[in-house]
Amino acid sequence: MEATKQQFEHVIGICRDLFAKKLHDYGAAWRIMRPSSVTDQIFIKANRIRSIEIKGVALVNEGVRSEFIGVVNYGIVGLIQLELGYAEVADKNVEEALTLYDKYAKAALELMLAKNHDYDEAWRGMRITSYTDLILMKIYRTKQIESLSGATLVSEGIDANYMDMINYAVFALIKLEFGE
């Protein structure tokens, strides 16, 4: 499982690097997004991945890899927004935003390691298309929880669903980066 931890950290490093570059270009403009808008942004990414998987071709010059990176980064943004609430302006500087990013990337790693222990790396036997479907299912669950204003009877919260989306996207990126 040490290889999985290193692969996870490698892939998160790729995602973080893009996040940092976008922070430079746009600032923390995402701070104005309400969590439901973040969920919809993840939906757009996951839906495009599924569309490309089904059609077998992308007409826009970005494949599924960049979309899985987007799922990871927007998942982390969603967790930040759940913690802080949305803002009226981009109220975080690069350092503050990256500190928050690192906090949730670390939490996702810790959750993955715990689940990976219990499930004996079952994710390695899954297809990338299954990760896509699971991410979409988690999005629909999240939308339902949002429609219920978080008042669930037995379900995990929105944060747990964002964490799972992040981890499924990381699994896909590990397979894309390192092979099956």
Side-chain angles (χ1 to χ4, degrees):
M1 282 205 299
E2 186 61 30
T4 298
K5 181 177 185 280
Q6 290 171 349
Q7 290 171 337
F8 186 103
E9 289 170 340
H10 173 81
V11 165
I12 282 290
I14 292 168
C15 297
R16 186 185 190 277
D17 182 60
L18 180 61
F19 188 82
K21 287 175 180 171
K22 288 191 175 198
L23 274 172
H24 173 270
D25 291 351
Y26 306 129
W30 48 266
R31 283 288 293 132
I32 69 159
M33 295 178 77
R34 291 169 284 186
S36 59
S37 297
V38 176
T39 302
D40 285 343
Q41 189 62 39
I42 298 169
F43 170 75
I44 290 167
K45 302 286 182 194
N47 198 62
R48 182 166 184 269
I49 293 166
R50 185 170 164 141
S51 174
I52 293 168
E53 289 171 348
I54 290 168
K55 294 173 185 170
V57 64
L59 296 183
V60 177
N61 193 22
E62 290 181 339
V64 298
R65 182 180 181 272
S66 65
E67 300 298 352
F68 279 119
I69 292 169
V71 170
V72 170
N73 287 345
Y74 275 110
I76 291 175
V77 164
L79 292 167
I80 294 168
Q81 297 300 81
L82 287 174
E83 177 188 345
L84 302 180
Y86 65 92
E88 296 300 323
V89 296
D91 63 349
K92 298 292 175 215
N93 64 36
V94 171
E95 184 180 317
E96 292 168 326
L98 288 174
T99 297
L100 288 163
Y101 186 98
D102 292 342
K103 172 184 173 179
Y104 286 107
K106 182 177 185 243
L109 171 62
E110 290 170 0
L111 177 65
M112 183 278 298
L113 290 172
K115 286 187 173 185
N116 209 32
H117 173 271
D118 290 356
Y119 289 95
D120 283 333
E121 297 206 323
W123 66 271
R124 289 200 182 267
M126 296 171 62
R127 299 171 189 96
I128 292 175
T129 54
S130 293
Y131 306 138
T132 305
D133 291 349
L134 288 166
I135 291 166
L136 282 165
M137 179 191 66
K138 293 289 182 176
I139 291 165
Y140 284 112
R141 286 181 176 183
T142 301
K143 286 181 171 213
Q144 179 64 23
I145 294 168
E146 290 167 346
S147 295
L148 295 170
S149 299
T152 61
L153 298 176
V154 296
S155 303
E156 295 178 307
I158 294 169
D159 57 340
N161 283 286
Y162 281 152
M163 286 289 236
D164 287 344
M165 290 179 223
I166 291 165
N167 282 330
Y168 288 131
V170 167
F171 292 157
L173 288 165
I174 286 171
K175 286 194 170 199
L176 291 169
E177 286 290 311
F178 298 100
E180 300 285 328

